[in-house]
Each structure stands twice: as C-alpha cells, then as structure tokens.
Amino acid sequence: MAKDILEDAGYLALGSRLKRLAERLQADAAKLHEAHGYDIQPSQFPMLKALDMHGALTVAQAVDALGVSQPAVTRTMNTIVQAGLATTRPDEKDQRVKWIELTSKGEAVLEDIRNNLWPHIQEAAKQASAFPKGSSPTSLLDALSRLEQNLSIASLEDRVMQMTHASKVEIVDFSDELAQDFYDITAHWVSEMFKLEQADRDIIENPRKLIIDRGGIILFAKTPELGVIGTCALIKIEEGVFELTKMGVTENARGLKIGEKLLQATIERAKSMKMECLYLLTNEKCAPAIHLYEKNGFVHDAHIMQTYGARYERCNVAMYYPL
C-alpha cells in the first residue's frame, strides 16, 4: 500500500492535510443533507448555524462570529437568500448596515434539521474522533491519524446512515427462517474473541430444539435496510432457571446501541415468564458488554459462577438479574 504523503510529511503538510480532511467531511455532510431532503451546502452551514443560534446578524457581526472575510460572508449570504432561507434588510438608523435574518422557511428547515440530522452528524464525528478507552492523543498529528483511520473504517456518511437506521429497529421473535442468522451472528462474534466451544455449537446448530422447544426465547433486531443485525436468547437450564445468552450484534451495526435494545427487550420478556433465576456468563475481555449488563441491572455473583460457570471454558464472570 502506498504511503500517505501528507501524513509522512508531518507538520510540514498540516494545512494540506487539514484541507483534505475538511473536504472529505464536508462531502459526506453534503451527501447526508441531500439524502435527508435538505437543500443545504456545507459552505452555508456556518452562516445558518450562526443565524440559528444568535438570530439576526449584521454583516460585520457575521464576520466576527464566523472568523472569515466580509466577501466570504457576502457570498454565503447571497446563496442562502437566493435559496429562500434568509433575507436581508437595511438598518433603520444606518442604511450602510445590512442585517441578515432567517425567513420562516429557513426557520422551519433549521428546526427540522436541528432535531433530525445534526445530532447524528455530531455523534458520528465524535465517534470517528474517539480513541480506544484508556488511551489519548499525544499530539495533533496523532489525533488526525486516528480520525483518518476511523473514517477509513466507516465514513461520516456511513456512521450517520447507520444511526438513522437504528431508529427503525424492530425486535422480532425466532422463526426457522432466522435460524441461520442466529448461527452466523453468534459464530462470528464468539470466534472473533474466543473459540467456538461444543456448548456453543450445540445451541447455535439446534436453536429450536435446545432453546425454543424447552421454553426459552430468541429475539432478533432488524431494520428494513440492514436486515437482521443482532440476537439475544433466554435458554432454560433447569426448572425456574434461565440463562441470558448469545447476545451479539453484526459488525455493520456496532455503535448503534443495538445490544442495549436487545438486552432491554429480553429482560422485559423475562419478567413476563415464570422464572426464579436469570443469570448470564461472560468473560472479562467483554468489558463493554459487562458495563452494559451492569447498567441494566445485572449484578456480579460468586454463587452463580460456582454453580453454572463451568458451562463454558472462557467463563470468568457470572451475573444475575434481580427479578
């Protein structure tokens, strides 16, 4: 793979590298605005955001607020006026001063976009800028490299589109048509972190026989665009005792809180079932999942570990849910 010339040049190419990054992010933002039906260009965003935050501004005030030249403000002003998003008027006391303010159309568009798109873009940019837990950038170039690496894994556009898909998540029950999804999702994430044990194979190869027919459930998360993206099961271990197991999410849906949606749906289903004990087994390597379990009410328990922990070789964490 060819070297990244701008990255290799270090601070010498800082301006060029920032410009490249800005163009990449702005191009994604333009696609997102268009995909969601908003006729707004990235170059117009700073001005519209300023008007949305501060109300009417004079040209001079806009120059100060945006930190750009007066000709640049005037050019942007003309485009948003032409689009019907803003209007201008002279100052009542000084005809040389021009005020810029949103039209009713502009206010309506910005209210909609402020509620339905900008929060997703902000969260996606935050995710793309994040370092792994416990680490932090040592320099500006380090932070830039991490951002570029994260964007190469999933662009800003992809991240936002996944977030908007997540709002359409549907939780559905097991059917024989979904048995392959159950197998694929579980086999992938277990193999990715550990190794498939015989206990895993028995369950994912025979979900109806070992889970459904014995009184358990399997729930799936799916969206119209991405299909099945996650799964979670309750398996009956003995009378009144169930294990929450096989919770996994596909790679293209990670970061969308699908696991939490599935976990909460499974807990709610458990509350409606006749059971005296609900527990789960996991491994300390699954720190994000453990945090999710703790957040949703599961408690670490040594007795559960001693009684059921031998079920999997990889198990070194056991928790129960106080029903």
Side-chain angles (χ1 to χ4, degrees), residues 19 21 44-45 51 60 78 103 108 129 131 158 186 195 228 234 259 262 301 307:
K19 182 174 183 293
L21 181 60
Q44 298 170 332
F45 168 78
L51 294 172
N78 290 337
T103 61
S129 303
F131 272 66
D158 290 340
T186 303
K195 68 175 183 178
V228 176
L234 291 175
L262 272 168
D301 188 272
T307 306

Side-chain angles (χ1 to χ4, degrees), residues 44-165:
Q44 298 170 332
F45 168 78
M47 175 74 80
L48 291 170
K49 184 64 176 173
L51 294 172
D52 187 44
M53 289 179 61
H54 302 296
L57 295 170
T58 67
V59 171
Q61 289 172 341
V63 168
D64 290 339
L66 302 179
V68 297
S69 67
Q70 182 171 330
V73 166
T74 301
R75 283 195 299 271
T76 304
M77 177 188 71
N78 290 337
T79 65
I80 61 176
V81 168
Q82 186 175 7
L85 300 173
T87 187
T88 61
R89 59 177 172 81
D91 186 83
E92 294 179 358
K93 297 181 179 179
D94 188 345
Q95 296 294 306
R96 295 171 299 176
V97 176
K98 183 178 290 186
W99 287 87
I100 316 164
E101 56 189 3
L102 294 172
T103 61
S104 56
K105 173 186 175 181
E107 290 175 347
V109 168
L110 287 184
E111 181 179 3
D112 190 53
I113 201 171
R114 190 192 320 117
N115 294 329
N116 297 312
L117 180 58
W118 284 351
H120 295 305
I121 293 179
Q122 177 165 295
E123 180 60 26
K126 180 180 176 182
Q127 288 180 6
S129 303
F131 272 66
K133 190 174 181 179
S135 63
S136 58
T138 58
S139 67
L140 174 58
L141 294 182
D142 191 23
L144 283 175
S145 294
R146 171 60 61 176
L147 176 55
E148 289 170 338
Q149 289 167 13
N150 288 343
L151 289 174
S152 67
I153 295 171
S155 69
L156 190 71
E157 180 187 11
D158 290 340
R159 292 171 187 271
V160 171
M161 294 303 286
Q162 288 178 358
M163 287 179 189
T164 54
H165 292 333

Side-chain angles (χ1 to χ4, degrees), residues 2-23:
K3 272 191 174 183
D4 183 337
I5 300 300
L6 298 185
E7 181 177 12
D8 195 49
Y11 285 103
L12 178 64
L14 180 60
S16 297
R17 193 172 178 188
L18 288 171
K19 182 174 183 293
R20 180 181 68 181
L21 181 60
E23 290 173 347

